[in-house]
Amino acid sequence: MSGPTVTYEYGSLSVQITLSGSRIVNATGIGLPQSGQSGQRSDDVQRTYSGTSGEVVQQQSADLNTVSDATATSDAYQQSLQAAIDRAG
């Protein structure tokens, strides 16, 4: 299940979640910037939120801690994630 593409000051991204029943078992950001400081912020957000052991799977919600120095990217990720969760529900 994918959330919408969210455009923000460093580019655009969407979040894809994988469900097992109603439980989120994986999440990943798609289309995050890959270069420069924006890419570093994207890597930090991806590392914190995504994957089978990331914060999305642990929290089972879009109510996540903002990644330090990546507020805009964190907000965009959470916005797309919440829409993906809403679509799945």
Side-chain angles (χ1 to χ4, degrees):
M1 181 68 50
S2 293
T5 298
V6 175
T7 300
Y8 65 111
E9 62 188 282
Y10 300 108
S12 60
L13 65 85
S14 64
V15 176
Q16 182 175 7
I17 57 174
T18 304
L19 302 173
S20 177
S22 62
R23 183 165 177 73
I24 301 169
V25 295
N26 196 4
T28 190
I30 300 168
L32 285 86
Q34 298 297 310
S35 62
Q37 194 150 16
S38 298
Q40 184 177 355
R41 288 184 183 103
S42 296
D43 291 346
D44 291 345
V45 167
Q46 194 80 289
R47 188 171 30 260
T48 302
Y49 294 157
S50 297
T52 57
S53 61
E55 200 170 311
V56 172
V57 171
Q58 293 173 21
Q59 297 293 332
Q60 293 294 301
S61 79
D63 185 19
L64 308 171
N65 294 317
T66 299
V67 176
S68 180
D69 294 325
T71 302
T73 306
S74 296
D75 289 349
Y77 190 108
Q78 291 174 40
Q79 185 179 346
S80 182
L81 172 62
Q82 184 61 61
I85 291 170
D86 291 347
R87 288 178 180 175

